[in-house]
Amino acid sequence: MYLYPNLDFRIKRPTLQEENLQRITPRHKKQKESTNRQGLCKIRRQSEKAMKITLIQTDIKWCSPQENLQQAEAAIKANPGSELYILPEMFTTGFCMNPKEIAEPQGGAGFRWMLDAARRYGAAIAGSIATEEGGKYYNRFYFVEPSGEYTQYDKVHLFTYSGEDKAYTKGTERKIIEYRGIKILPIICYDLRFPVFIRNREEYDLIICVANWPAVRNKPWRTLIKARAIENQCYVAAVNRAGKDEWGEYTGDTKLINPYGEPVAECKQGVADTINTEIDIEALENFRKKFPVLEDADNFTLNKDE
């Protein structure tokens, strides 16, 4: 059995005190329906509970932060009007296992670009960056808001197959972000394989999964993003990279998945691409009321064997 420090895996509705502790810590400063593909894709354009999001599937240039930041900037500039832009895992460098050479310090250039871009475009920017803090290295996800507030999440499940556990320090906290009325669970790549860690306790509406998931394992990727959406009755914004690097080839398969496990929108395979789409929280809430799977979830506590 495994233990995630600071996490309570009992499946229950959190108390107000628990909910306040889970939310965005640490926080720093300071009409008409149209059908878009399948399932829960009826977008109520006038609904206050619909959010416009953009998924950015980049062809990350190996260990070239400046070039990758320029690519990210160009993608956002070409797709104005979204409330949230999501970039892949380690979008400034690629999945490099030599953090001494490529990791930026906490508050480094990549993070400062996210702060500036969020302010300039009036939208949240999300993605992970190899980060050094206190002499340790982290695969750190940032969710940066236009106000300058941000949430950081350090990857909990490090990919031992690639040696990530030896190069980086694992995170110990699961985070829930609330942004413009929508609750979000951020995860990074390999986290996707661990359903207990991800289990929805009626806490969130959207999973953001950023990844460098190779083509050789794209069938599990496609299966797992659907499974996580179905079992947690939520949307999944799964943003993977495209192109090639020292690890191999990436087909991307960036998609927004609805709670039925159906793709709402998806990027072209194998190339840099961007998609603009929406999530409809009103439709999600109605679905949960009609089919209350989360209310019937098992109660359990996960303990570590001493």
Side-chain angles (χ1 to χ4, degrees):
M1 303 287 283
Y2 298 91
L3 175 69
Y4 299 98
N6 306 320
L7 302 184
D8 179 4
F9 281 89
R10 289 173 293 178
I11 307 302
K12 60 182 181 66
R13 188 182 298 277
T15 65
L16 180 60
Q17 182 181 14
E18 290 171 334
E19 190 174 69
N20 288 337
L21 286 173
Q22 284 184 332
R23 281 186 187 173
I24 315 181
T25 51
R27 291 279 288 195
H28 305 265
K29 172 86 177 179
K30 267 198 159 166
Q31 119 196 15
K32 214 179 196 189
E33 294 187 352
S34 62
T35 301
N36 180 10
R37 300 230 174 151
Q38 307 174 44
L40 264 191
C41 308
K42 291 182 178 179
I43 306 302
R44 292 168 177 79
R45 299 290 177 185
Q46 304 304 316
S47 173
E48 293 181 358
K49 293 189 176 182
M51 179 181 286
K52 295 179 180 180
I53 67 172
T54 297
L55 312 184
I56 303 174
Q57 177 177 286
T58 57
D59 182 351
I60 302 171
K61 306 308 175 187
W62 187 250
C63 300
S64 300
Q66 190 60 36
E67 190 173 357
N68 291 318
L69 289 175
Q70 289 172 354
Q71 182 180 185
E73 177 75 31
I76 295 173
K77 187 176 182 179
N79 294 273
S82 276
E83 297 171 80
L84 169 61
Y85 295 90
I86 307 173
L87 291 151
E89 176 185 21
M90 290 194 184
F91 71 91
T92 61
T93 59
F95 192 61
C96 178
M97 294 299 101
N98 189 8
K100 291 182 180 180
E101 298 296 325
I102 57 92
E104 65 176 52
Q106 174 72 4
F111 174 72
R112 292 197 306 272
W113 171 83
M114 295 177 79
L115 280 174
D116 182 59
R119 176 187 57 79
R120 286 186 287 111
Y121 292 102
I125 311 291
S128 93
I129 297 175
T131 303
E132 183 275 328
E133 184 178 24
K136 296 181 179 180
Y137 301 99
Y138 299 90
N139 187 344
R140 179 163 289 171
F141 174 97
Y142 291 109
F143 188 97
V144 181
E145 300 179 33
S147 65
E149 295 182 346
Y150 68 97
T151 304
Q152 63 187 44
Y153 159 71
D154 295 330
K155 187 177 183 181
V156 168
H157 300 91
L158 300 179
F159 191 40
T160 55
Y161 186 76
S162 70
E164 187 182 17
D165 60 318
K166 295 178 174 60
Y168 294 87
T169 298
K170 68 179 293 184
T172 59
E173 293 183 89
R174 181 178 183 265
K175 300 290 179 72
I176 302 293
I177 301 162
E178 186 168 357
Y179 176 64
R180 297 185 178 177
I182 294 177
K183 295 179 181 180
I184 302 167
L185 175 75
I187 62 173
I188 303 174
C189 203
Y190 193 46
D191 285 332
L192 183 65
R193 290 182 178 268
F194 299 90
V196 174
F197 178 75
I198 296 170
R199 186 63 172 158
N200 193 356
R201 297 171 291 175
E202 300 182 78
E203 309 159 279
Y204 63 80
D205 310 303
L206 168 67
I207 294 171
I208 294 178
C209 179
V210 299
N212 273 216
W213 196 290
V216 69
R217 289 185 289 277
N218 61 7
K219 186 174 181 179
W221 166 262
R222 294 170 187 167
T223 302
L224 290 171
I225 60 177
K226 293 178 181 180
R228 298 296 87 90
I230 294 167
E231 69 195 5
N232 293 299
Q233 281 195 309
C234 69
Y235 286 94
V236 175
V239 180
N240 193 23
R241 66 156 297 175
K244 296 180 180 179
D245 67 9
E246 293 190 1
W247 295 101
E249 185 176 355
Y250 302 84
T251 54
D253 290 298
T254 292
K255 306 174 190 287
L256 177 67
I257 304 295
N258 71 22
Y260 294 107
E262 300 165 335
V264 176
E266 52 194 322
C267 285
K268 298 175 184 176
Q269 282 200 343
V271 296
D273 193 26
T274 303
I275 50 172
N276 300 305
T277 185
E278 294 187 2
I279 56 175
D280 188 343
I281 298 304
E282 183 179 348
L284 172 61
E285 290 173 348
N286 289 337
F287 173 51
R288 286 174 172 175
K289 288 176 182 177
K290 291 178 181 178
F291 194 65
V293 173
L294 298 181
E295 294 179 9
D296 297 327
D298 298 313
N299 290 315
F300 65 92
T301 301
L302 192 65
N303 299 314
K304 181 180 180 181
D305 295 332
E306 298 295 338

